[in-house]
Amino acid sequence: MQLKMESFEHPSAALPPPAIILVETQMGENIGAAARAMANFGLRDLRLVRPRDGWPNERARAAASRGDAIIDVVRLYDDLPAAIADLELVYATTARPHDIAKEVESPAVAAGALGAAAARGARTGVVFGREKWGLTSEEIGHVDRIITIPVDPIFASLNIAQAVILVAYEWRRVVLGDPTWTPFAERERSPQASKADVFAFFTHLEAALDAVEFFRPETKRPHMVRNLRQIFQKARLSEQEVRTLRGVLAALERRPTRRDAAQAAETGE
Amino acid sequence: MQLKMESFEHPSAALPPPAIILVETQMGENIGAAARAMANFGLRDLRLVRPRDGWPNERARAAASRGDAIIDVVRLYDDLPAAIADLELVYATTARPHDIAKEVESPAVAAGALGAAAARGARTGVVFGREKWGLTSEEIGHVDRIITIPVDPIFASLNIAQAVILVAYEWRRVVLGDPTWTPFAERERSPQASKADVFAFFTHLEAALDAVEFFRPETKRPHMVRNLRQIFQKARLSEQEVRTLRGVLAALERRPTRRDAAQAAETGE
């Protein structure tokens, strides 16, 4: 886990994330939601080409929630070439084929290429088009490659902030380098029980069941024991859970507790 | 490409997608955006536990955009146990650790497990909590495992619909079985040029440059030729693009066209 934490902290600082460029976005809410999505996955550089309702935009700030640090440093441009002039590898996202022959990549493949470019020092970006009709063919012509998101073809219309978060998420996968990583592991307040603890519980359980002649006929005992053990093996018990189960078992066995023993002595039973 | 198309159509029909269960969602917009996100990736079964503003909800329908087919068949429940009673493998999404020891998985790992469960006929679901504070520990206690999304720890607050789309996207990756798949390939109006076409262009280009004594000194010619060819190799030219380049070259060579030749004959040049 320690190693994974390191791989999580280190490359995210080292690899400059792609800029996100939104072209003629109509709704401030979408700009804000895109900023929030960027913040969720460590992206910082948001660029706007002619947002319809001008800038600054209070609806964008509200929708950004605590992603407002990104809203504070948004940069505005008059056209797409100006917005991407300092970048070296630029993708456009489109939901449908254009008339231009360009390489079309899935978000996973594109994020890998963006990560590789960033690792060699290139500045990168991803362009998102208008809510209603995306990017013009001329705008597509300004970028290097195309990302298209593998949506269900019968419902292909993705909200812009949703498209941004999917690209940002794939970027994060590249940064983490490990698709199984999670920010917190299984809660281990009580450590996993050792096999010895688990086996001692099995011995206890089976002895208790032998005492009440549970395993009948005797020939079926091995099979019944195996099935019973399997139930608790699957539960991957913690130390605390094994203690709890042994307490349950003792209670069911009606084994005299210390208080019972004291009472029995008092009443002379 | 044909094979990939098949792998795209077939398993999505065969594997029943997980149900999405939203617990006490406050804003209709978030329910609608979640429905739209589900539709984008082929999910259909949306269940609501006590939505704050009641049901039906016009803001949810508006935000669902064309995902309203999902809104039409939403089911309502009084509590989480009722909402997941018919399911066999249920995940909850959480942004922070709970006091309950449960397996915590990334969306990628969880989607794989959901796909495997669906493939053996199990009905599955993923639960999402309230906008402000997620799920109670009691609710977490009702599910089998936990999904947590690998957000940047300094900005961990994900919008519900954004969390839904990331889970739905990972489900889609499992259904497609190929993270490189895209719904449309590079636009191949003109097929990729064969190497023979490209080599013929190189021969043409180099002859034209020889004619104007471009390659000087002669000892540098092999190196210069290699660099020049590399430019066009990288462009991965289509047949049409090779024809275009040969036309450019012919024009620059000022090679007489048929019309020029006809004019020259007329004027006696």
Side-chain angles (χ1 to χ4, degrees):
Chain A
M1 200 58 214
Q2 200 50 42
L3 260 176
K4 286 187 187 170
M5 281 303 289
E6 283 171 15
S7 79
F8 161 66
E9 291 300 332
H10 171 64
S12 71
L15 276 189
I20 297 296
I21 302 103
L22 305 184
V23 177
E24 292 193 352
T25 309
Q26 296 191 286
M27 297 177 65
E29 289 84 343
N30 285 336
I31 297 171
R36 181 176 178 180
M38 290 171 63
N40 285 140
F41 294 114
L43 279 64
R44 295 287 176 259
D45 181 358
L46 177 58
R47 307 172 178 200
L48 305 178
V49 177
R50 294 187 304 269
R52 183 192 64 178
D53 294 340
W55 197 259
N57 181 316
E58 279 316 307
R59 304 184 81 138
R61 182 170 295 278
S65 179
R66 285 182 295 146
D68 50 6
I70 289 174
I71 296 292
D72 289 339
V73 295
V74 155
R75 280 177 284 181
L76 288 175
Y77 298 89
D78 287 335
D79 56 33
L80 182 58
I84 62 177
D86 61 323
L87 307 179
E88 290 159 60
L89 175 62
V90 181
Y91 281 83
T93 54
T94 75
R96 54 175 180 279
H98 277 259
D99 288 348
I100 293 170
K102 271 193 208 293
E103 310 216 26
V104 176
E105 297 178 357
S106 73
V109 171
L114 289 165
R120 61 171 192 266
R123 302 185 69 177
T124 65
V126 184
V127 181
F128 297 79
R130 299 153 189 86
E131 283 94 337
K132 291 261 164 64
W133 48 275
L135 295 163
T136 65
S137 289
E138 190 187 343
E139 286 162 347
I140 294 279
H142 295 312
V143 308
D144 299 298
R145 301 183 197 165
I146 288 172
I147 298 177
T148 192
I149 293 169
V151 288
D152 187 340
I154 66 172
F155 191 80
S157 159
L158 262 177
N159 169 271
I160 284 181
Q162 300 282 50
V164 168
I165 206 167
L166 293 173
V167 168
Y169 172 74
E170 285 288 1
W171 168 262
R172 182 96 177 135
R173 275 176 85 130
V174 168
V175 166
L176 294 172
D178 174 8
T180 71
W181 188 87
T182 69
F184 49 91
E186 188 169 345
R187 191 73 171 178
E188 308 218 58
R189 293 165 68 109
S190 172
Q192 200 76 17
S194 69
K195 288 296 175 200
D197 288 346
V198 175
F199 296 158
F201 164 66
F202 289 162
T203 304
H204 181 177
L205 174 63
E206 289 149 23
L209 292 173
D210 277 329
V212 294
E213 299 186 344
F214 175 81
F215 297 115
R216 291 291 154 121
E218 180 66 25
T219 52
K220 289 206 174 164
R221 187 177 192 283
H223 184 68
M224 293 170 81
V225 163
R226 201 161 49 238
N227 287 347
L228 200 56
R229 291 186 173 201
Q230 179 55 16
I231 292 169
F232 295 100
Q233 290 279 18
K234 282 194 300 186
R236 299 186 59 224
L237 301 167
S238 70
E239 284 180 4
Q240 179 55 52
E241 289 165 341
V242 169
R243 282 194 294 273
T244 300
L245 286 173
R246 295 197 69 162
V248 165
L249 199 51
L252 292 175
E253 286 180 301
R254 300 175 188 281
R255 199 198 295 163
T257 60
R258 283 187 191 177
R259 206 166 59 114
D260 291 339
Q263 283 182 334
E266 238 170 73
T267 58
E269 272 175 26
Chain B
M1 199 57 215
Q2 201 51 41
L3 260 177
K4 285 184 186 173
M5 282 303 289
E6 281 169 16
S7 78
F8 162 65
E9 292 298 333
H10 171 63
S12 70
L15 276 188
I20 297 296
I21 302 103
L22 305 184
V23 177
E24 292 195 351
T25 308
Q26 296 190 287
M27 297 176 67
E29 290 85 342
N30 284 337
I31 297 171
R36 180 176 178 179
M38 290 171 63
N40 285 141
F41 293 114
L43 280 64
R44 294 288 176 259
D45 182 355
L46 178 59
R47 305 172 179 203
L48 305 179
V49 177
R50 294 187 303 270
R52 184 192 64 180
D53 293 340
W55 198 260
N57 181 316
E58 280 315 307
R59 303 184 82 139
R61 183 170 294 277
S65 181
R66 285 182 294 145
D68 50 7
I70 289 175
I71 296 293
D72 289 339
V73 294
V74 155
R75 280 179 284 180
L76 288 175
Y77 299 88
D78 287 334
D79 54 31
L80 182 57
I84 62 178
D86 61 322
L87 307 179
E88 290 160 59
L89 175 63
V90 181
Y91 281 84
T93 53
T94 76
R96 54 176 180 280
H98 278 258
D99 287 349
I100 293 171
K102 269 193 208 295
E103 310 215 29
V104 176
E105 297 177 357
S106 73
V109 171
L114 288 165
R120 60 172 192 269
R123 302 185 67 176
T124 65
V126 184
V127 181
F128 297 79
R130 300 155 188 85
E131 282 92 338
K132 291 260 162 63
W133 48 277
L135 295 164
T136 65
S137 289
E138 191 188 342
E139 286 161 348
I140 294 279
H142 295 312
V143 308
D144 299 297
R145 301 183 198 165
I146 289 173
I147 298 177
T148 191
I149 293 169
V151 289
D152 187 340
I154 65 172
F155 191 80
S157 158
L158 261 177
N159 169 271
I160 285 181
Q162 301 281 49
V164 169
I165 206 168
L166 292 173
V167 169
Y169 172 73
E170 285 288 1
W171 168 263
R172 182 95 177 136
R173 274 177 87 131
V174 168
V175 167
L176 294 173
D178 173 8
T180 71
W181 187 87
T182 69
F184 49 90
E186 188 169 345
R187 190 72 172 177
E188 308 217 60
R189 293 164 69 108
S190 171
Q192 200 76 16
S194 68
K195 289 296 177 198
D197 288 345
V198 174
F199 295 158
F201 164 65
F202 289 163
T203 304
H204 182 176
L205 174 63
E206 289 150 22
L209 292 172
D210 276 331
V212 295
E213 299 186 343
F214 175 81
F215 298 115
R216 291 293 153 119
E218 180 66 24
T219 51
K220 290 207 172 162
R221 188 179 190 283
H223 184 70
M224 293 169 81
V225 163
R226 200 158 52 237
N227 288 347
L228 199 57
R229 289 185 172 202
Q230 179 55 16
I231 292 169
F232 295 100
Q233 291 278 20
K234 283 195 300 186
R236 300 187 56 224
L237 301 168
S238 70
E239 284 180 5
Q240 179 54 52
E241 287 165 341
V242 168
R243 283 193 292 273
T244 301
L245 285 172
R246 295 196 69 162
V248 166
L249 200 52
L252 292 175
E253 287 181 302
R254 302 177 186 281
R255 200 198 294 161
T257 61
R258 283 190 190 174
R259 206 165 60 115
D260 291 339
Q263 282 181 334
E266 236 170 76
T267 58
E269 270 177 27

